[in-house]
């Protein structure tokens, strides 16, 4: 969880804030500005250094996901990571980016995200309009791994911009600039997708789904999960095992009062609280029970089950 | 207070005691007893205080309580004098007098005698008043039952729970109605409902209140959703114990005498224990010729075994169970007490007991620890302990045995009574009785009657031959001749039948997870999709693209469009939907779980109905079936202008399968209904098997006719969607509704979710 500031989230707002324009007044009525669309200068020409991951992120493999990803990388196949929240999808991507030595550009998808937020847009400077690459374009140009987190949250018409990138064409058309960017040989697209959210109204288009190689993630087996909690939260083995048992109880309640069981991330949070001196019961209450449900009856039932988990 | 007596001396307020003394002087038989009672009451409270008491006696005289009534009150006065003041005794007499007016003298005598007994349990004037009020109400409705109730007062009135006594009387009067025999049975506590209510006095919360929570705890602990059922009380004075019957865990309706937090804990402990039985394999040993003592001991070992395993998994369970293991040698020399100590010893290896049996059980159990996963050790250890019991000639009464501690199940789930040896039948009969799976509807008071399929007063399903009134005629496309024949089909309004909604409600309860998902969709849809409006004259955000275009326009010397803001607005829903349900013969098809296709359709429609009601969209539900062109029956389950509530649900539940599927005519009718509704978007959802057919026409012609109707409706702005129950995908759904508008459901169980999903998808467009 505590990466040394390498995880850069580039969204709509972030993209603008990071640009050299930030801080300057933005007004659409600058008299005497020149406008030369034909030769628009590039606003950002980054070396992507900020997106590189220097230290090895902790990742504990649970299956063959690393070899599958590496094989996909070899052929630059787009990868889809499926799995419930907090089971390690994002950490896996960070780990793979580090392992493969590629910069990682992460975009957290949201409902208001437009295609321009991904591909880029014209901005105004005193000199005229300047094209600003969006995070996706940045990755395509300079050969980074572009990770679109929770892709279903974005509107379906937004996600189609990735289509030309994810088939044999491997290019990104920017119709506003009238430019066709062939993908950098090292560019790879990774999306994450939580089937738990998958409801009638939020689902990937079939045409999007079928472009990806998928890796399925789930909560790790109890022994493994305990190891991860121990390592990440700095707890002793017994406490980690108890937390994992509590998580198993809550996961049993999925669909029977809870929408999702406690995630590994939640366990780590509760574990950190407990390792920091908070009594276990209070730590579990604050770290797991309270965040996971608002229903008093479910809380009580979950509380009873949890109190059975520790002596 | 007492008009009669006051009339004797009009205008002058003669003290009641004076009048009473005068009155009693004339009654030789009573005078001596009265004088004695008066003296003894006065000895406690003083002669001066007797006035309210005397008024009470006079009230009893007024209502003709008779010599018996007076004597009973004096007896009560004497006995209660140490605790009650004359004023309180007077109140008592007034209460008794009120009862006497309704139920007569002998009932009052019994009530007074019972009152003397239970008075210490009643806290204050309020609870004493409850006693008399409840009995008076009973006397009014069923005077001959007062004595029965008075006779059982010690069981019905528990300290701190006087209100439950009144509730019991009210429930009994309600349940029995005017049926004298039932009244008698109820108030003599011979009725199952009465026993159930009796158990609830001074106990609770019971199974009903705790079920949902217990279900969740068991699901969390043991993974699978448990099948929890209530267990009616086995009989008077038999403490309730949990019972495992196959996959079902049956918990007592209520643990008598256990109330509040203690009841919650006991239910939790019992449920966790029973859940552990099922989780760690619930072997069923063939009963063969085991002696009851052998069974009981094997049960004890098995209980200890699964608890040990459970506590290895969930150490916190020890905290739940340990408070119940309090048996000690002081409990007495009975076999039951000894067995409870064996249970404690097995549960807690550190417990030591003077009786060798406990030590031996602990030693044998400890020796089998390496085979703890094997249920056979229970039988093994149990048998060896039973031999000891036999050699020591400890008497064991299997019939009256009650498992201790209270959270343990009765152990019958461990045994397979498949082929019962006649020799042991007698001994275990009583135990088996409790294990028999039968669900009694104890809640609504219909316990002992034969089950009635429909609530009283409802219309029974009509015979299939009955025709409704013709409400419309429609043309039909004759594919063979290539012409549309006018007024070819007649649609009749079939009278809706109000059915029993309980099975439907149960199905809805079972489908809770799916309903929760749909409810989430409803919430999401209801909040209204925030539509992003670009290029607005005002808004909370700059529309960057518009702003840039405006700037470019200025630079180019053009007139810029100054609408450069983004805003959001909630989308208005304006939608009407008509759900057309096919109830033809094909929906009678049985599924593996015993329900039929129509049941699944009903469930799906009920869930969609809930969703639509939640959304506030206009909707109607029609069901159709046909028997030839002049008899297309359409049942209106819910019209556009009525809310979806209990009546609509009852009509939905009342739908029955039968006849054929003349889809085209039904669609035309639906279209006609729809055209009367004013709405921006109109949808017809058809739930069918996708195979139109009728007795007087070729199926293929009906497919073409239906297709034609769908196209006509589309031209009228009504979108028709077909949800076809078509596991093999061989039906004509796509041919009728078009490829994009036909939605084949391959697994019937998916129908409820798919139907609602489809709706949400459509409603979004």
């Amino acid at each position: 969880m505590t990466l040394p500031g390498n995880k850069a989230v580039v969204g709509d707002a972030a993209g603008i804030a990071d640009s050299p324009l930030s801080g300057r007044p933005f007004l659409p009525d600058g008299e005497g500005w020149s406008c030369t669309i034909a030769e628009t200068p590039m606003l950002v020409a980054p070396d992507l250094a900020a997106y590189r991951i220097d230290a090895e992120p902790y990742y504990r493999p649970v299956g063959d996901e690393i070899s599958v990803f590496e094989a996909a990388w070899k052929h630059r196949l787009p990868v889809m990571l499926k799995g419930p929240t907090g089971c390690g999808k994002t950490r896996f991507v960070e780990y793979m980016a580090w392992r493969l030595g590629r910069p990682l550009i992460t975009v957290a998808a949201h409902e208001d995200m437009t295609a321009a937020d991904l591909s880029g847009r014209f901005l105004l400077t005193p000199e005229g309009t300047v094209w600003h690459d969006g995070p996706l374009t940045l990755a395509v140009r300079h050969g980074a791994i572009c990770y679109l987190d929770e892709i279903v949250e974005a509107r379906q018409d937004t996600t189609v911009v990735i289509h030309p990138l994810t088939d044999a064409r491997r290019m990104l058309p920017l119709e506003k600039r009238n430019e066709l960017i062939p993908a950098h040989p090292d560019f790879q697209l990774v999306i994450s997708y939580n089937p738990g959210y998958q409801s009638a109204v939020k689902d990937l288009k079939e045409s999007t789904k079928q472009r990806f190689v998928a890796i399925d993630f789930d909560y790790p087996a109890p022994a493994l999960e305990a190891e991860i909690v121990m390592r990440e939260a700095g707890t002793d083995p017994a406490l980690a095992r108890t937390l994992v048992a509590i998580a198993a109880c809550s996961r049993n309640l999925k669909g029977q009062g809870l929408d999702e069981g406690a995630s590994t991330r939640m366990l780590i949070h509760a574990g950190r609280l407990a390792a920091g001196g908070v009594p276990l019961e209070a730590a579990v209450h604050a770290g797991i029970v309270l965040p996971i449900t608002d229903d008093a009856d479910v809380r009580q039932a979950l509380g009873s089950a949890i109190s059975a988990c520790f002596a | 207070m007492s008009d009669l007596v006051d009339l004797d001396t009009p205008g002058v307020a003669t003290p009641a005691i004076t009048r009473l003394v005068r009155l009693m002087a004339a009654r030789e038989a009573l005078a001596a007893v009265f004088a004695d009672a008066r003296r003894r009451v006065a000895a406690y409270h003083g002669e001066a205080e007797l006035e309210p008491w005397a008024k009470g006696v006079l009230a009893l005289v007024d209502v003709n309580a008779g010599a018996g009534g007076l004597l009973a009150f004096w007896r009560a006065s004497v006995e209660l004098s140490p605790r009650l003041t004359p004023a309180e005794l007077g109140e008592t007499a007034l209460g008794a007098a009120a009862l006497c007016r309704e139920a007569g003298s002998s009932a009052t005598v019994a009530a007074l005698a019972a009152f003397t007994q239970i008075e210490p349990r009643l806290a204050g004037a309020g609870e004493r008043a409850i006693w008399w009020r409840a009995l008076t109400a009973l006397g009014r409705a069923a005077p001959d039952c007062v004595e029965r109730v008075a006779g059982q007062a010690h069981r019905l009135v528990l300290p701190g729970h006087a209100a439950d006594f009144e509730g019991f009387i009210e429930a009994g009067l309600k349940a029995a109605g005017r049926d004298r025999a039932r009244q008698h049975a109820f108030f003599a506590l011979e009725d199952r409902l009465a026993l159930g209510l009796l158990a609830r006095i001074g106990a609770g919360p019971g199974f009903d209140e705790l079920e949902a929570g217990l279900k969740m705890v068991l699901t969390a602990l043991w993974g699978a959703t448990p099948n929890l059922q209530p267990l009616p009380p086995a009989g008077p004075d038999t403490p309730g114990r949990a019972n495992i019957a196959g996959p079902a865990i049956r918990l007592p309706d209520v643990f008598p005498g256990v109330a509040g937090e203690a009841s919650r804990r006991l239910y939790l402990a019992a449920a966790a224990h029973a859940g552990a039985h099922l989780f760690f394999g619930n072997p069923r040993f063939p009963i063969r010729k085991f002696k009851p003592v052998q069974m009981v001991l094997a049960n004890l070992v098995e209980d200890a075994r699964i608890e040990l395993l459970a506590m290895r998994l969930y150490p916190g369970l020890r905290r739940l169970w340990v408070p119940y293991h309090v048996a000690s040698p002081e409990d007495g020399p009975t076999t039951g007490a000894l067995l409870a100590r064996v249970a404690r010893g097995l549960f807690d290896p550190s417990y030591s007991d003077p009786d060798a049996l406990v030590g031996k059980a602990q030693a044998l159990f400890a020796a089998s620890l390496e085979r703890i996963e094997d249920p056979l050790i229970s039988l093994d250890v149990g048998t060896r302990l039973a031999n000891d019991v036999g050699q020591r000639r400890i008497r064991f009464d299997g019939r009256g045995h009650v498992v201790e501690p209270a959270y343990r199940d009765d152990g019958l789930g461990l045994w397979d009574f498949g082929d019962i040896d006649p020799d042991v039948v007698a001994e275990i009969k009583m135990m088996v009785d409790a294990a028999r799976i039968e669900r009694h509807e104890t809640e609504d008071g219909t316990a002992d009657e034969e089950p009635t399929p429909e609530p009283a007063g409802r219309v029974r399903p009509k015979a299939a031959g009955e025709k409704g009134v013709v409400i419309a005629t429609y043309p039909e496309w004759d594919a063979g001749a290539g012409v549309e024949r006018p007024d070819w089909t007649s649609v009749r309004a079939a009278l809706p039948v109000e059915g029993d909604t309980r099975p439907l409600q149960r199905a809805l309860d079972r489908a809770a997870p799916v309903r929760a998902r749909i409810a989430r969709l409803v919430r999401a849809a209801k909040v209204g999709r925030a539509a992003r409006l670009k290029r607005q004259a005002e808004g909370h955000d700059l529309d960057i693209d518009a702003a840039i275009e405006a700037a470019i326009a200025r630079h180019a010397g053009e007139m810029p469009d100054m609408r450069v803001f983004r805003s959001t607005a909630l989308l208005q829903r304006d939608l009407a939907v008509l759900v057309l349900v096919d109830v033809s013969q094909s929906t009678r098809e049985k599924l593996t779980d015993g329900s039929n296709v129509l049941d699944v359709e009903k469930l799906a429609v009920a869930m969609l109905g809930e969703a639509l009601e939640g959304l506030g969209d206009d909707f109607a539900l029609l069901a159709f079936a046909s028997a030839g062109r002049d008899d297309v029956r359409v049942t209106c389950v819910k019209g556009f202008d009525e809310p979806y509530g209990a009546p609509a649900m009852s009509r939905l539940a009342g739908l029955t399968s039968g006849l054929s599927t003349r889809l085209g005519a039904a669609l035309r009718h639906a279209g006609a209904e729809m055209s009367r509704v004013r709405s921006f978007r109109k949808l017809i959802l058809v739930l069918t098997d996708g195979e139109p057919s009728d007795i007087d026409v070729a199926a293929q012609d009906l497919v073409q006719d239906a297709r034609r109707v769908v196209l006509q409706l589309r031209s009228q702005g009504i979108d028709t969607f077909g949800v076809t129950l078509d596991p093999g995908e061989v039906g004509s759904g796509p041919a009728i509704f078009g490829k994009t508008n036909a939605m084949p459901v391959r697994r019937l169980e998916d129908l409820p979710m798919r139907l609602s999903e489809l709706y949400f998808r459509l409603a979004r467009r």
Side-chain angles (χ1 to χ4, degrees):
Chain A
M1 292 298 136
T2 47
L3 286 165
N6 286 315
K7 178 179 166 182
V9 175
V10 182
D12 184 3
I16 293 168
D18 288 344
S19 77
L21 262 183
S22 56
R24 294 187 199 174
F26 176 83
L27 293 167
D29 57 353
E31 280 301 323
W33 289 2
S34 66
C35 178
T36 46
I37 296 180
E39 293 170 28
T40 45
M42 294 289 300
L43 194 62
V44 190
D47 57 357
L48 298 186
Y51 298 114
R52 288 187 189 275
I53 295 167
D54 307 321
E56 177 180 357
Y58 170 72
Y59 182 77
R60 174 71 170 84
V62 283
D64 55 0
E65 69 269 28
I66 292 180
S67 56
V68 171
F69 194 98
E70 278 179 339
W73 161 256
K74 213 169 274 168
H75 301 280
R76 306 297 188 269
L77 293 175
V79 176
M80 167 176 2
L81 308 180
K82 301 174 98 164
T85 180
C87 69
K89 300 188 294 286
T90 303
R91 179 63 65 88
F92 173 69
V93 176
E94 285 171 351
Y95 173 77
M96 290 311 297
W98 171 84
R99 195 177 155 105
L100 300 169
R102 299 312 311 164
L104 173 67
I105 299 181
T106 304
V107 184
H110 55 85
E111 267 189 340
D112 264 1
M113 198 166 75
T114 59
D117 294 332
L118 280 178
S119 55
R121 58 164 52 90
F122 282 107
L123 294 179
L124 289 175
T125 65
E127 292 75 42
T129 55
V130 175
W131 175 260
H132 176 82
D133 274 347
L136 180 65
T137 313
L138 214 55
V140 171
R141 264 191 225 283
H142 304 286
I145 294 175
C146 183
Y147 177 46
L148 304 179
D149 201 359
E150 296 300 357
I151 188 77
V152 276
E153 293 292 335
R155 302 199 315 164
Q156 293 193 336
D157 51 350
T158 307
T159 50
V160 293
V161 300
I162 64 175
H163 283 192
L165 278 171
T166 46
D167 52 29
R169 291 173 282 172
R170 270 179 70 81
M171 57 187 177
L172 178 66
L174 297 175
E175 81 277 11
K176 279 188 198 142
R177 262 173 74 84
N178 213 0
E179 185 184 359
L180 201 60
I181 313 172
H184 188 282
D186 286 345
F187 166 76
Q188 193 190 16
L189 186 69
V190 181
I191 64 172
S192 83
Y193 163 55
N194 179 351
Y197 293 150
Q198 179 196 1
S199 60
V201 287
K202 279 193 179 162
D203 196 0
L204 283 181
K205 275 177 188 290
E206 206 55 35
S207 57
T208 307
K209 271 185 200 168
Q210 297 204 0
R211 287 159 192 273
F212 288 86
V213 170
I215 302 178
D216 199 12
F217 282 73
D218 204 346
Y219 304 118
L224 216 62
E225 190 167 25
E227 184 191 322
I228 293 169
V229 172
M230 217 168 83
R231 163 73 171 66
E232 286 285 274
T235 64
D236 57 75
L239 179 58
R241 274 197 300 275
T242 304
L243 286 170
V244 169
I246 289 170
C249 284
S250 73
R251 288 168 198 164
N252 285 338
L253 281 179
K254 182 179 172 181
Q256 316 262 347
L258 293 182
D259 292 338
E260 279 284 351
S263 62
T264 311
R265 178 172 44 217
M266 255 186 165
L267 299 188
I268 293 168
H269 290 176
R272 283 192 185 150
L273 291 180
V278 180
L280 180 57
E281 204 151 0
V284 169
H285 197 65
I288 297 176
V289 181
L290 286 182
I292 211 168
T293 175
D294 299 321
D295 186 317
D297 295 337
V298 180
R299 268 185 200 168
Q300 197 179 6
L302 191 58
S304 300
I306 284 174
S307 79
C309 291
F310 46 82
Chain B
M1 188 146 304
S2 166
D3 296 341
L4 252 178
V5 176
D6 283 344
L7 278 178
D8 285 350
T9 51
V12 186
T14 319
I17 190 74
T18 317
R19 276 179 285 150
L20 186 59
V21 170
R22 219 180 287 154
L23 206 60
M24 283 305 130
R27 305 279 293 269
E28 277 174 33
L30 293 174
V33 188
F34 169 70
D36 180 51
R38 178 186 169 189
R39 185 174 48 74
R40 290 168 70 170
V41 174
Y44 272 101
H45 305 288
E47 192 70 38
E49 306 291 321
L50 288 188
E51 183 64 13
W53 177 76
K55 274 188 180 157
V57 179
L58 283 177
L60 279 172
V61 173
D62 285 350
V63 295
N64 285 328
L70 292 175
L71 289 172
F73 178 65
W74 292 332
R75 227 178 357 257
S77 302
V78 171
E79 283 201 32
L80 296 176
S81 275
R83 280 198 304 279
L84 299 186
T85 64
E88 288 164 338
L89 289 171
E91 289 294 319
T92 302
L94 294 180
L99 172 64
C100 186
R101 204 174 284 129
E102 304 291 350
S105 171
S106 66
T108 311
V109 172
L112 276 168
F115 180 77
T116 316
Q117 301 260 310
I118 55 113
E119 195 281 331
R121 301 181 184 183
L122 298 173
E127 293 205 347
R128 286 194 295 272
I130 286 177
W131 163 263
W132 292 112
R133 193 169 65 220
L135 283 182
T136 307
L138 176 63
R140 202 171 298 133
D144 47 347
C145 291
V146 174
E147 279 183 70
R148 292 168 202 268
V149 169
Q152 303 282 3
H154 58 286
R155 294 169 66 188
L156 293 170
V157 182
L158 297 181
H161 295 279
D164 289 349
F165 171 71
E166 193 173 24
F168 176 84
I169 302 268
E170 278 171 14
L173 289 176
K174 229 177 265 171
R178 291 170 167 277
D179 182 343
R180 300 296 288 276
R182 279 210 70 184
Q183 282 178 352
H184 285 194
F186 186 96
F187 290 110
L189 302 185
E190 285 155 7
D191 180 295
R192 194 182 296 275
L193 176 64
L195 287 175
L197 287 171
L198 175 65
R200 275 168 192 279
I201 292 177
F207 179 82
D208 290 346
E209 294 97 301
L210 300 177
E211 180 187 2
L214 290 175
K215 216 172 229 176
M216 266 191 275
V217 177
L218 289 192
T219 308
L221 288 179
W222 306 119
T225 312
N227 178 356
L228 293 184
Q229 293 177 3
L231 191 62
D237 305 320
T238 312
R241 290 292 180 261
N243 166 256
I244 298 172
I249 296 174
R250 307 199 303 157
L251 294 167
D253 263 345
V254 73
F255 280 106
V258 185
E261 198 49 38
S263 174
R264 283 177 202 283
R265 289 190 60 94
L266 182 53
Y267 268 104
L268 193 57
H273 175 85
H277 266 299
L278 292 183
F279 185 77
F280 292 105
N282 196 29
R284 284 167 72 83
F285 300 125
I287 189 91
R288 293 205 297 271
K289 280 199 172 176
F290 294 131
K291 294 197 176 68
V293 67
Q294 199 176 354
M295 291 167 61
V296 165
L297 281 161
N299 275 331
L300 282 183
V301 180
E302 174 71 4
D303 285 342
R305 185 184 79 84
I306 59 110
E307 281 181 5
L308 186 70
L309 288 170
M311 287 186 295
R312 280 187 185 169
L313 203 58
Y314 295 113
L317 290 178
R318 172 173 292 276
R319 241 176 300 136
L320 192 59
W321 289 326
V322 80
Y324 300 97
H325 287 279
V326 289
S328 70
E330 282 88 67
D331 294 346
T334 62
T335 316
L338 178 60
L339 290 173
R341 278 147 61 198
V342 172
R344 182 176 178 183
L346 289 171
F347 180 83
D348 177 10
S350 64
Y351 170 74
S352 70
D353 193 277
D355 195 294
L357 188 67
V358 178
K360 176 149 187 190
Q362 285 173 316
L364 286 174
F365 189 59
S368 340
L369 273 186
E370 72 263 23
R371 291 195 298 131
I372 190 77
E373 308 279 347
D374 181 6
L376 275 179
I377 63 168
S378 306
L379 198 55
D380 191 26
V381 175
T383 305
R384 289 166 71 179
L385 292 175
N387 288 342
D388 271 28
V389 171
Q391 277 163 18
R392 284 169 56 186
R393 301 191 193 288
I394 297 175
R395 209 184 144 272
F396 176 74
D397 176 17
R399 202 170 289 252
H401 177 69
V402 174
V403 176
E404 289 293 344
Y407 73 87
R408 294 264 173 97
D409 62 290
D410 60 15
L412 291 169
L414 192 62
W415 307 96
D416 184 359
F417 295 99
D419 45 346
I420 297 174
D421 188 323
D423 293 343
V424 282
V425 164
E427 270 184 298
I428 57 173
K429 186 159 189 297
M430 133 115 213
M431 297 162 99
V432 183
D433 272 345
R436 201 178 295 141
I437 299 191
E438 48 182 351
R439 292 207 61 175
H440 295 283
E441 301 287 345
T442 52
E443 290 314 304
D444 51 6
T446 56
D448 297 331
E449 293 144 358
E450 63 237 70
T452 44
E454 315 241 341
R458 295 252 167 98
V459 186
R460 296 210 147 257
K462 286 191 299 180
E466 228 165 306
K467 292 182 175 183
V469 191
V470 175
I471 46 172
T473 57
Y474 294 102
E476 190 170 87
W477 176 250
D478 185 336
V483 289
E484 188 165 89
R485 301 201 183 278
D487 294 332
W488 193 251
T489 55
S490 306
V491 169
R492 294 169 186 272
L495 205 61
V497 174
E498 302 212 333
D500 183 0
T501 55
R502 283 179 296 184
L504 186 57
Q505 194 59 52
R506 273 199 285 274
L508 281 171
D509 290 344
R510 274 197 300 276
V514 179
R515 279 166 85 204
R517 259 182 90 185
I518 293 176
R520 269 206 303 284
L521 288 176
V522 169
R523 274 199 303 278
K526 202 172 166 186
V527 172
R529 218 153 28 106
R532 267 174 313 149
L533 305 173
K534 303 191 85 179
R535 294 173 201 281
Q536 298 293 301
E538 51 187 21
H540 53 65
D541 211 357
L542 264 183
D543 182 345
I544 292 178
D545 295 328
I548 290 167
E549 271 172 35
I552 293 170
R554 288 184 77 136
H555 287 297
E558 291 167 7
M559 186 67 173
D561 182 351
M562 292 313 287
R563 292 175 298 170
V564 292
F565 295 97
R566 269 196 334 187
S567 71
T568 52
L570 291 184
L571 280 189
Q572 285 293 322
R573 301 172 65 88
D574 184 9
L575 182 76
V577 58
L578 189 149
V579 184
L580 195 57
V581 187
D582 173 3
V583 292
S584 63
Q585 181 67 28
S586 54
T587 59
R588 187 163 288 174
E589 202 175 305
K590 284 271 182 215
L591 304 177
T592 43
D593 64 348
S595 60
N596 59 27
V597 175
L598 185 63
D599 291 337
V600 182
E601 285 189 350
K602 285 177 186 174
L603 176 65
V605 171
M607 281 159 82
L608 181 63
E610 281 183 349
L612 290 169
E613 187 69 14
L615 284 169
D617 290 341
D618 276 343
F619 74 109
L621 299 174
L622 296 183
F624 74 99
S626 64
R629 69 182 174 96
D630 62 341
D631 189 9
V632 180
R633 288 177 207 167
V634 173
T635 313
C636 180
V637 175
K638 177 197 171 299
F640 278 109
D641 44 5
E642 63 176 319
Y644 177 75
M649 198 161 150
S650 168
R651 289 193 289 270
L652 177 63
L655 292 178
T656 46
S657 305
L659 308 178
S660 312
T661 318
R662 206 175 192 103
L663 184 58
L667 274 175
R668 282 191 180 86
H669 185 68
E673 290 280 314
M674 202 54 152
S675 64
R676 282 197 278 276
V677 181
R678 294 176 64 91
S679 198
F680 176 68
R681 190 163 148 76
K682 297 175 178 179
L683 298 176
I684 295 178
L685 293 185
V686 187
L687 196 55
T688 173
D689 59 0
E691 280 304 315
S693 67
D694 209 341
I695 47 176
D696 55 356
V697 64
Q700 198 46 44
D701 285 8
L702 287 179
V703 170
Q704 297 210 15
D705 175 52
R707 175 68 186 153
R708 206 178 150 81
V709 186
V710 169
L711 294 177
Q712 281 167 355
L713 289 175
R714 186 174 302 163
S715 70
Q716 293 168 28
I718 301 172
D719 291 330
T720 313
F721 293 84
V723 178
T724 49
L725 306 170
D726 188 4
E729 274 190 273
V730 289
S732 322
I736 296 171
F737 301 103
K739 201 162 177 240
T740 49
N741 287 6
M743 183 166 160
V745 175
R746 269 155 235 160
R747 285 177 358 120
L748 202 56
E749 309 84 77
D750 292 345
L751 176 67
M753 191 63 211
R754 298 296 291 275
L755 183 62
S756 293
E757 262 181 19
L758 171 74
Y759 176 73
F760 283 101
R761 222 169 255 183
L762 298 178
R764 283 217 142 201
R765 276 195 206 153

